[in-house]
């Protein structure tokens, strides 16, 4: 009975002890979970882990049933002294070797990450440095011993990128030993900082986040032994508005050498394929790429280069390049590269090109372009250029048409020249030039070269071809040693008189002085019509030359200066001569001039024709004509033995018989209107029939009938002389004189050259025997007669008048008897 009671008591005690132990365990677990495990435990675990090659510091430690020991705010350092923090974990699960732990030995088997957050400082020495934040971290870190670490299936998110990591590493040196001297740690951190900064500028497809796979092996104490393989896949990545549809990359890291073995990217236009080698220690690398991506967007949004102004590319874009680079202290790349680029359907400043391509070389901020070709259906340009921005040196050969160049010279003196050109069917251009310009200074540009154009118009003047050499800059446009072949097929003078379909001029120099706005002309020579040539540089002057209507192009030689402003500084000299006639409108009628020659001096608004020599009305004419501007004209002319019938028929009045006229005139005229004419001169006529005098009075017709000769019994006045003055288009004279064999005549009057009418009085001294006898009853004016003529010049009406006292200047003429003359057979 006693034994039974004792057994029962022992069972009760055992039950109580077990229950108390359970309560104690539950209480201990609760205490360990809520207040944390003792500091001694944390220190013991930190020392034990340090022996395994990882140096950590645990913020707090607690035990969670069914999970294990959880460490919070765990920091990882690169050395036992805990000076350089390399990562930070919010919470991890620590798994210990339980068999060793039962023997009092702390040995960490693994660390588990579950929905953890990992913070990697860029600069462990600077607590305020940027950090690389890893969220949603999962994975297991195995620590089998001998400082070995193995990371399996680790994954997390960095800046929206899904990252997976697997690693097999040998940990840091144990306490008491010198940690490895990592000279490149700072450089790797800078590279990491650039990666962090760049990631912040990228935007990814939320439904398909980028995936990054990393595999690492090696001894962290020997950087050269560390190798890593990296793979990247991205679908939909955007930066600064430019979308890359897909990006993939494969990279290897061996020590300090990072090799991107494959880099591929695609956008709506094409594909990029590249390779990169980068030495973290020397901060140097090499690359090669082949791309058909959209070049302007690629350069601007992804590489940060300035955008290409007024450039649109609508077709394929291919870039092939290789080179090397080096990062300076500010992580700015210094790039040296060579390659080739080709773009199709390119619009530059509104001008469309079928293709643009070039080989290039970039070194020390100097870009060299060679084998440049800009192609269109109507021509091409081939060039090479050296660009040391903002200075560009250029060597160009082009057959592109003239309109292509205009948008590239807006605001430049050459713009005016290009705008004056227009093209005809079959127009061609062949120009070669070399020079340079400064993009920061619109006045700093200069070119030299030469070229040929065909089938173009310049300032409306058709040109079959033109070639010259040139020197061009902001201050002068100098065209020299040139030849111009004019097209006269539609020129009015050729249509009117015939002539060659083209003519050639040699041009010594035509130079535009931009600061002074003057055109210098040197040694322009050729058998050409003057107006089209002068129209090249002085349209108003050319308009004034159109009035000289040469039937065939005359021989010309021109030099001088033309003012393109209203300041009137023009001083142009033109010499001309022609064996063919020319027409000129004089006094309202067209006059045909034979073998014209002379000199034309254009000075401001004045045009002076000097040394003028022509044949007109079958006689020589010489003179000088000066155009004063605003329609005013003045000059002097002299002529010898001009045909009176030709003169009278030209100006619409008739004189009986033939004869010639000799004289001179100083005149002025406004707007080509006869009524504005003024001047003075002298005039002589010879061997013409001014009028006939009936020597036998009323018996003269009877005598003519008996002798069957109407002229029998008459005397003819064939020669005359007078001086004259012209005012408002009215010619007047007070000393007209003529005579027959027996009679003297004197007269005064006027001729209105505008309406071609005459108003004239003629006095006759009839003191011969027969007429004197007839006039005896008229004493004291016996022998003196007076007649008055008026009406149209071609048919005046004459009538006898009562004799009036003549002007004093006519008395001597009337009182002097006619001189005896030798009578020619015709008389």
């Amino acid at each position: 009975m006693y034994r039974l009671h004792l057994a029962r008591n022992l069972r009760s005690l055992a039950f109580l002890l077990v229950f108390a132990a359970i309560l104690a365990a539950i209480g201990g677990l609760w205490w360990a979970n809520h207040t944390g495990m003792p500091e001694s435990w944390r220190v013991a675990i930190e020392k034990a882990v340090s022996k395994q090659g990882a140096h950590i510091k645990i913020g707090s430690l607690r035990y969670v049933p069914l999970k294990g020991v959880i460490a919070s705010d765990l920091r990882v350092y690169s050395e036992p002294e805990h000076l350089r923090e390399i990562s930070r974990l919010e919470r991890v699960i620590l798994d210990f070797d339980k068999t060793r732990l039962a023997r009092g030995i702390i040995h960490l088997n693994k660390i588990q990450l579950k929905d953890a957050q990992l913070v990697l400082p860029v600069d462990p020495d600077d607590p305020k440095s940027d950090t690389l934040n890893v969220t949603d971290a999962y994975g297991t870190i195995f620590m089998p011993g001998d400082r070995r670490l193995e990371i399996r299936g680790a994954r997390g998110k960095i800046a929206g990128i899904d990252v997976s990591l697997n690693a097999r590493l040998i940990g840091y040196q144990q306490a008491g030993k010198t940690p490895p001297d990592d000279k490149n740690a700072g450089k790797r951190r800078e590279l990491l900082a650039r990666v962090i900064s760049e990631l912040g500028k990228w935007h990814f497809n939320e439904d398909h986040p980028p995936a990054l796979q990393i595999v690492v092996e090696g001894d962290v104490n020997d950087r050269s032994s560390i190798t890593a393989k990296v793979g990247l896949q991205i679908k939909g990545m955007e930066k600064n508005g430019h979308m890359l549809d897909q990006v993939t990359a494969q990279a290897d890291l061996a020590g300090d050498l990072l090799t991107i073995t494959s880099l591929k990217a695609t956008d709506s236009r094409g594909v990029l394929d590249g390779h990169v080698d980068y030495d973290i220690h020397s901060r140097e690398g090499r690359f090669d790429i082949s791309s058909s991506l959209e070049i302007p967007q690629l350069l601007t949004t992804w590489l940060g280069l300035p955008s290409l102004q007024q450039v649109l590319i609508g077709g394929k874009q291919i870039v092939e390049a290789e080179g090397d680079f080096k990062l300076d202290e500010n992580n700015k790349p210094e790039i040296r590269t060579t390659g080739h680029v080709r773009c199709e359907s390119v619009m530059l400043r509104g001008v469309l090109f079928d293709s643009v391509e070039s080989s290039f070389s970039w070194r020390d901020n100097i870009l060299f372009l060679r084998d440049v070709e800009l192609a269109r259906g109507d021509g091409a340009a081939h060039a090479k250029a050296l660009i040391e921005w903002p200075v560009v040196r250029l060597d160009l050969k082009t057959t592109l048409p003239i309109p292509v160049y205009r948008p590239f010279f807006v605001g430049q003196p050459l713009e005016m020249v290009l705008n004056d050109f227009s093209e005809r069917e079959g127009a061609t251009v062949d120009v070669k030039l070399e020079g340079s310009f400064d993009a920061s200074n619109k006045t700093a540009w200069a070119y030299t070269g030469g070229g040929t154009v065909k089938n173009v118009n310049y300032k409306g003047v058709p040109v079959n071809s033109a070639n010259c050499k040139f020197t061009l800059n902001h201050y002068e446009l100098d065209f020299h040693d040139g030849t111009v072949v004019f097209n006269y097929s539609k020129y009015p003078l050729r249509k009117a008189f015939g002539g060659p379909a083209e003519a050639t001029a040699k041009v010594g120099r035509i130079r535009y002085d931009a600061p002074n706005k003057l055109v210098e002309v040197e040694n322009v020579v050729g058998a050409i019509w003057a107006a089209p040539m002068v129209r090249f540089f002085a349209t108003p002057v050319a308009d004034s030359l159109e009035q000289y209507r040469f039937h065939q192009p005359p021989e010309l030689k021109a030099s001088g200066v033309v003012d393109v402003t209203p300041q009137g500084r023009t001083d142009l000299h033109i010499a001309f001569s022609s064996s063919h006639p020319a027409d000129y409108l004089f006094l309202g009628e067209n006059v045909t001039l034979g073998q014209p020659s002379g000199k034309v001096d254009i000075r401001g608004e004045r045009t002076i024709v000097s040394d003028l020599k022509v044949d007109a009305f079958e006689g020589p004419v010489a003179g000088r004509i000066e155009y004063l501007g605003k329609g005013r004209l003045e000059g002097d002319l002299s002529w010898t033995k001009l045909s009176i019938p030709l003169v009278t028929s030209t100006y619409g009045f008739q004189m009986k018989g033939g004869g010639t006229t000799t004289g001179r005139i100083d005149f002025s005229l406004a707007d080509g209107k006869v009524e504005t004419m003024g001047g003075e001169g002298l005039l002589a006529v010879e061997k013409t029939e001014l009028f006939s005098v009936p020597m036998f009075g009323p018996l003269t017709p009877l005598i003519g009938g008996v002798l069957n000769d109407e002229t029998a019994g008459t005397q003819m006045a064939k020669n005359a002389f007078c001086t004259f003055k012209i005012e408002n288009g009215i010619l007047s004279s007070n000393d007209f004189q003529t005579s027959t064999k027996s009679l003297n005549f004197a007269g005064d009057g006027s001729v209105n050259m505008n309406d071609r009418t005459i108003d004239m009085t003629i006095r006759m001294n009839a003191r011969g025997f027969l007429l004197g006898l007839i006039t005896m009853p008229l004493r004291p004016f016996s022998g003196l007669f007076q007649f008055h003529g008026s009406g149209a010049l071609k048919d005046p009406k004459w009538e006898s008048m009562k004799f009036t006292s003549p002007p004093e200047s006519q008395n001597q003429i009337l009182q002097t008897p006619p001189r005896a003359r030798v009578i020619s057979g015709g008389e």
Side-chain angles (χ1 to χ4, degrees):
M1 189 68 181
Y2 174 78
R3 292 180 178 176
L4 180 60
H5 182 72
L6 178 62
R8 189 179 296 122
N9 289 337
L10 288 175
R11 284 197 303 267
S12 299
L13 179 60
F15 174 78
L16 292 173
L17 289 175
V18 170
F19 180 75
I22 291 173
L23 291 178
I26 293 173
L29 291 174
W30 179 88
W31 172 80
N33 187 33
H34 286 80
T35 64
M37 301 177 70
E39 178 69 22
S40 58
W41 287 32
R42 292 197 295 269
V43 172
I45 291 174
E46 289 171 358
K47 289 182 179 180
V49 173
S50 178
K51 294 178 181 180
Q52 293 179 251
H55 308 295
I56 63 174
K57 185 174 181 61
I58 300 172
S60 63
L61 196 65
R62 57 195 178 90
Y63 179 78
V64 177
L66 304 179
K67 289 187 178 181
V69 178
I70 295 178
S72 299
D73 191 19
L74 186 145
R75 299 170 184 259
V76 182
Y77 297 88
S78 62
E79 79 293 314
E81 290 78 11
H82 296 176
L83 299 177
R84 301 175 68 246
E85 181 182 334
I86 60 175
S87 64
R88 188 181 313 149
L89 293 163
E90 283 192 7
R91 187 181 61 181
V92 297
I93 300 175
L94 305 180
D95 184 73
F96 298 95
D97 187 336
K98 297 178 177 55
T99 57
R100 295 186 182 183
L101 186 61
R103 299 196 304 267
I105 301 174
I106 299 176
H107 182 85
L108 187 62
N109 277 340
K110 61 182 179 181
I111 300 175
Q112 287 185 313
L113 306 178
K114 290 186 178 181
D115 195 19
Q117 293 186 359
L118 175 64
V119 179
L120 301 175
V122 172
D123 186 356
D125 297 326
D126 181 7
K128 298 180 180 181
S129 67
D130 292 335
T131 58
L132 188 64
N133 298 311
V134 182
T135 60
D136 301 330
Y138 291 85
T140 304
I141 304 174
F142 291 93
M143 306 177 69
D146 296 330
R147 297 184 294 111
R148 288 179 297 160
L149 300 175
E150 184 174 348
I151 302 174
R152 297 180 187 175
R155 67 184 189 279
K157 287 185 176 293
I158 301 177
I161 301 175
D162 287 340
V163 180
S164 64
L165 173 64
N166 289 279
R168 300 175 68 180
L169 301 171
I170 297 177
Y172 291 105
Q173 294 283 357
Q174 296 182 12
K177 296 186 179 181
T178 304
D181 184 12
D182 186 4
K183 297 180 180 180
N184 298 320
K187 297 176 181 178
R188 278 194 293 271
R189 288 196 304 271
E190 291 176 5
L191 179 60
L192 184 60
R194 287 180 60 85
V195 171
I196 296 172
S197 175
E198 191 65 24
L199 287 174
K201 303 174 184 178
W202 297 0
H203 302 282
F204 305 107
N205 187 334
E206 295 181 357
D207 296 331
H208 298 88
L212 178 65
Q213 300 87 31
I214 304 173
V215 178
V216 182
E217 293 184 352
D219 187 344
V220 296
N221 301 283
D222 182 5
R223 298 294 180 183
S224 61
S225 69
I226 296 179
T227 62
K229 293 184 179 294
V230 180
L232 176 66
Q233 297 85 35
I234 302 176
K235 289 185 178 181
M237 181 171 69
E238 180 267 335
K239 178 182 177 183
N240 296 329
H242 181 247
M243 176 67 72
L244 292 177
D245 298 330
Q246 186 169 348
V247 178
T248 62
Q250 299 293 328
D252 294 331
L253 176 65
D256 292 325
L257 181 61
L258 173 64
T259 301
I260 301 178
T261 57
S262 174
L263 173 62
K264 296 181 183 295
T266 62
D267 67 4
S268 58
R269 287 293 183 86
V271 179
L272 178 144
D273 192 354
H275 307 84
V276 180
D277 294 323
Y278 178 66
D279 189 325
I280 299 174
H281 173 69
S282 63
R283 302 169 65 88
E284 297 178 349
R286 291 188 56 82
F287 66 91
D288 65 85
I289 62 168
S290 176
S291 170
S292 57
L293 301 179
E294 190 172 358
I295 294 175
Q297 292 281 1
L298 183 68
L299 296 178
T300 303
T301 61
W302 293 95
L303 300 183
L305 298 179
S307 60
L308 300 176
Q309 299 296 321
Q310 301 185 53
V311 177
L312 296 175
I313 304 176
K316 294 181 180 179
Q317 306 169 44
I318 299 174
V319 177
E320 296 176 346
E322 62 179 18
D324 55 68
F325 62 93
K326 183 175 183 179
L327 299 180
D328 62 14
E329 295 180 354
N330 298 318
N331 292 316
K332 182 179 179 181
E334 298 175 4
I335 300 174
R336 297 178 298 182
T337 181
T338 59
H340 185 271
V341 59
R342 174 182 172 84
C343 301
E344 297 179 357
S345 188
V346 181
M347 184 171 288
L348 303 176
R349 296 194 177 188
V351 179
L352 182 63
F353 294 89
D354 296 336
S355 64
V356 176
E357 65 178 303
S358 174
S359 297
F360 61 86
S361 173
W362 170 270
R363 184 185 182 96
D364 298 329
N365 293 325
I366 299 175
L367 176 62
F368 177 60
L369 303 177
R370 53 177 167 62
D371 301 329
V372 180
E373 181 177 7
L374 293 86
R376 289 166 48 103
D378 52 8
H382 301 271
K384 58 182 178 180
L386 183 65
I387 304 174
E388 192 171 0
W389 197 257
V391 177
V392 179
R393 296 174 179 85
L394 182 66
D395 188 337
L396 173 69
K397 185 179 187 304
T398 175
T399 59
L400 293 170
I402 293 170
V404 171
Y405 310 105
R406 292 186 182 123
F408 299 94
F409 293 95
V410 175
Q412 301 289 345
L414 199 57
E415 178 187 17
M416 298 183 295
V417 176
L418 294 172
N419 287 340
D420 287 331
F421 276 98
S422 60
E423 296 182 290
R424 304 198 313 272
E425 184 178 356
T428 63
V429 175
D430 189 355
V431 175
K432 181 173 175 40
L433 62 82
E434 61 180 29
S436 63
F437 66 89
D438 187 337
S440 64
N441 182 356
K442 68 177 184 179
T443 66
W445 59 273
Y447 301 99
T448 60
T452 300
V453 295
K454 294 181 179 180
N455 299 321
V456 298
N457 300 329
Y458 184 69
K459 289 190 175 180
V461 178
V463 174
N464 283 345
S465 68
N467 65 80
C468 69
K469 298 177 182 178
F470 54 76
T471 300
L472 311 175
N473 57 60
H474 181 76
Y475 304 100
E476 68 170 358
L477 305 177
D478 187 358
F479 302 92
H480 54 91
D481 299 328
T483 300
V484 180
V485 180
F486 292 93
N487 182 322
Y488 292 143
S489 60
K490 296 182 180 180
Y491 189 49
L493 292 185
R494 181 176 184 270
K495 288 184 176 182
F497 307 113
E502 64 178 30
T504 301
K506 297 290 185 181
V507 181
R509 171 171 276 106
I510 295 179
R511 176 180 176 270
Y512 175 60
D513 181 352
N516 296 312
K517 298 189 181 303
L518 294 174
V519 177
E520 300 172 5
V521 180
E522 295 182 12
N523 200 29
V524 177
V525 179
I528 57 173
W529 276 300
M533 181 72 197
V534 176
R535 198 172 298 279
F536 281 177
F537 43 83
T539 299
V541 175
D543 291 339
S544 69
L545 294 177
E546 293 284 9
Q547 60 186 313
Y548 307 106
R549 295 166 56 82
F550 288 89
H551 292 195
Q552 298 286 325
E555 292 287 342
L556 290 183
K557 183 174 182 179
S559 294
V561 174
V562 177
D563 187 0
V564 298
T565 72
Q567 300 180 49
R569 296 171 294 170
T570 296
D571 188 9
L572 183 64
H573 312 285
I574 304 173
F576 66 90
S577 65
S578 177
S579 59
H580 300 277
D583 284 3
Y584 181 70
L585 192 65
F586 186 68
L587 298 181
E589 298 294 342
N590 183 68
V591 179
T592 299
L593 310 174
Q595 295 186 328
S597 66
K599 298 177 181 177
V600 180
D601 296 322
I602 303 171
R603 299 169 183 168
E605 292 187 349
R606 299 172 59 194
T607 300
I608 303 167
V609 182
S610 60
D611 295 339
L612 177 64
K613 296 179 181 180
V614 299
D615 290 335
F617 308 115
E618 297 182 349
V621 179
R624 179 179 182 275
I625 300 174
E626 183 172 353
Y627 175 75
L628 302 176
K630 298 181 179 179
R632 295 177 299 151
L633 188 71
E634 65 179 31
D636 61 83
L637 296 173
S638 62
W639 59 91
T640 304
K641 296 185 180 299
L642 303 187
S643 170
I644 290 178
L646 292 178
V647 173
T648 57
S649 65
T650 298
Y651 286 97
F653 62 93
Q654 301 295 328
M655 292 182 65
K656 294 181 180 180
T660 61
T661 177
T662 300
R664 65 165 286 114
I665 183 174
D666 293 325
F667 67 91
S668 64
L669 196 66
D671 298 323
K673 297 179 180 179
V674 176
E675 62 267 27
T676 65
M677 189 174 183
E680 60 183 15
L682 55 88
L683 177 69
V685 295
E686 299 178 276
K687 299 179 182 180
T688 188
E689 182 179 344
L690 295 173
F691 48 80
S692 298
V693 180
M695 299 304 297
F696 298 99
L699 300 176
T700 300
L702 178 61
I703 296 172
V706 172
L707 298 177
N708 196 27
D709 183 359
E710 292 182 357
T711 63
T714 64
Q715 289 186 356
M716 294 184 181
K718 295 185 176 183
N719 301 320
F721 174 83
C722 72
T723 62
F724 59 84
K725 291 185 178 180
I726 304 173
E727 185 174 353
N728 297 325
I730 299 175
L731 182 150
S732 60
S733 175
N734 292 321
D735 59 358
F736 176 82
Q737 56 182 297
T738 184
S739 64
T740 69
K741 291 176 288 185
S742 303
L743 304 172
N744 283 341
F745 296 85
D748 61 86
S750 63
V751 176
N752 189 320
M753 295 185 293
N754 184 42
D755 56 19
R756 297 176 185 176
T757 59
I758 187 172
D759 184 2
M760 192 168 187
T761 299
I762 297 292
R763 296 176 177 86
M764 177 183 72
N765 182 350
R767 291 182 178 179
F769 172 74
L770 291 176
L771 290 177
L773 182 65
I774 297 172
T775 61
M776 285 180 63
L778 299 175
R779 293 181 182 275
F781 298 107
S782 62
L784 298 176
F785 293 87
Q786 181 171 312
F787 305 92
H788 180 262
S790 63
L793 190 60
K794 64 180 178 180
D795 187 21
K797 305 299 182 182
W798 290 93
E799 58 184 355
S800 176
M801 296 180 59
K802 180 181 178 180
F803 189 85
T804 59
S805 178
E808 186 65 29
S809 59
Q810 295 182 18
N811 282 333
Q812 182 66 28
I813 299 172
L814 293 172
Q815 296 298 325
T816 302
R819 296 180 181 180
R821 306 191 307 276
V822 177
I823 300 175
S824 65
E827 298 179 358

